[in-house]
Amino acid sequence: EKEAAAEGFRTRGLEGCEFYQENGMAKYTYGASNNYNEIYRLRKAILDKFPGAFIIAFKNGVKMDVNQAIREFKQNRNR
């Protein structure tokens, strides 16, 4: 099942998709960066093929609140 989903991403032109487990479900991701602006642009670029795409955040491998991640990004950017 995971391979079939990854193939679906590839047929839409996205290589390098990864996945993580959450509540017993495999969830697929595309792109990673510490720079929120870069991820925002990446999301915009794939919306035509993946209209439901959204941004998630991880810190030290643990999913965290996106708004908190944005606040931390802005604080660290200003240092």
Side-chain angles (χ1 to χ4, degrees), residues 32 36 45 52 54-57 65-66 75:
Y36 174 76
F54 56 94
I55 296 172
I56 58 172
D65 178 73
V66 172
Q75 288 172 349

Side-chain angles (χ1 to χ4, degrees), residues 34 36 39-40 54-59 62-77:
N34 291 329
Y36 174 76
I39 290 300
Y40 180 82
F54 56 94
I55 296 172
I56 58 172
F58 287 89
K59 184 174 185 177
V62 178
K63 190 174 175 185
M64 68 180 291
D65 178 73
V66 172
N67 292 316
Q68 178 62 34
I70 293 169
R71 282 191 292 276
E72 289 182 19
F73 168 72
K74 288 179 178 178
Q75 288 172 349
N76 292 332
R77 183 183 60 184

